[in-house]
Amino acid sequence: MDANAGDTQQVCSTTPAPTSPLVRMLHFDRDRAPEEVDVAALATCMPVADARLLWIDVTAAQVPDALLDALDLDASRVAIASGFAPALAVDGTWKYLQVFALDWQGRRPTTVPLTIAIGRNTIVTVHAAPVAFLQSVLDEEIDQLRVGSLDAMTFASTLLDRMLTDYLDARDEFENVLDRLELQILRNPQARLLRELQHMRRFASKLRQYLADQRDVFDAIGRPDFDPALSADATGHCQRLRARYAQVTESMEAARELVNGSFDLYTSRVAENTNQTMHTLTFVTVVIGVMATIAGVMGMNFKAPVYDTGLHGFIATLGGMLALAAVATGWLAWRRRAVR
């Protein structure tokens, strides 16, 4: 873009004014820090000069009429309505992207419908509920952004890339939780851990499904026929965004395989514990059988000196049986420690 030509165009009023809590409007000028201006000053920003960028973020299901009229937006395409689904549309000078941002706090992933309208040097983001990555940019990173020289499509690509990063962050947390579960399974495979694994399996499936629903949007963005008028830089960013989407999707597929591996670990540990229990029962049965045999022999009615020992013989026999049981139990405990 020709920055000198842009200097002759109208620019935003620099007079700060109270902004709406639902609408934030940021004006980026070349490589300088952005200025937040009031919605009432929108008319002073139009048309947005080259080497400048206007970002309007709306936290509401409907875009205010004043913005619709000033920007010539299609109200039906930017509204967050029931039945919202990922889609892409080009209408006049505006491109509309409908995607699902991720809210995964509390290990219960849900989606937040997000519409991104992209015009000439102008981008509008619309969402009925807060979007984590947008809030992070607006509240924590805005003073460091120097994006005035970017065109709107390139900036939209960076926002979508951040959205995909949220999916990767959710996967990282997923892996951390899964690692802790596997350590508990190795120690003691309780039934509650199986329920946790089932929950993690649903978590991974939801992440994958949320991304799969948006495949057509990201594929279309990366195709050459998406917008032939895009600059070479913007086209390159869009193609890299599509490649990033494919990588994130593969990562979600791998997450499902991790859960399957944890299920295998759980079943193996349960089977191992079952085998140990059967070994113990078999050993106890043998020891009791030997003791029963001794008791049976000593209870015979044959005339023999050993049967005439009276109380001393009884105590000696009982002591021998208890000693046999103690030795057998000690040997079993030693074997278990040796195996572990």
Side-chain angles (χ1 to χ4, degrees), residues 152-162 221 234 237-238 241:
M153 190 63 226
T154 299
F155 183 60
S157 297
T158 65
L159 293 180
L160 290 172
D161 188 85
R162 287 172 180 265
I221 289 175
H237 285 298
C238 289
L241 178 64

Side-chain angles (χ1 to χ4, degrees), residues 45-117:
C45 301
M46 305 304 294
V48 181
D50 290 340
R52 294 179 175 87
L53 182 68
L54 182 66
W55 178 17
I56 303 173
D57 182 71
V58 180
T59 307
Q62 302 287 338
V63 176
D65 292 339
L67 288 180
L68 293 175
D69 295 338
L71 299 173
D72 193 25
L73 288 170
D74 185 335
S76 63
R77 295 191 184 278
V78 294
I80 306 297
S82 59
F84 183 96
L88 182 149
V90 178
D91 186 1
T93 60
W94 287 95
K95 292 179 281 291
Y96 300 92
L97 305 179
Q98 294 179 330
V99 294
F100 282 139
L102 182 67
D103 180 5
W104 54 274
Q105 300 302 320
R107 293 168 54 195
R108 295 183 181 276
T110 58
T111 56
V112 180
L114 170 64
T115 296
I116 302 177

Side-chain angles (χ1 to χ4, degrees), residues 167-199:
Y167 281 87
L168 291 178
D169 289 342
R171 183 188 184 277
D172 290 342
E173 178 62 20
F174 167 87
E175 287 190 4
N176 291 336
V177 173
L178 200 60
D179 286 342
R180 291 194 292 269
L181 285 177
E182 288 184 350
L183 289 176
Q184 295 179 51
I185 289 171
L186 289 172
R187 287 195 295 266
N188 185 13
Q190 302 175 11
R192 67 173 181 83
L193 298 178
L194 179 60
R195 292 192 294 271
E196 287 287 333
L197 287 177
Q198 292 170 342
H199 172 78

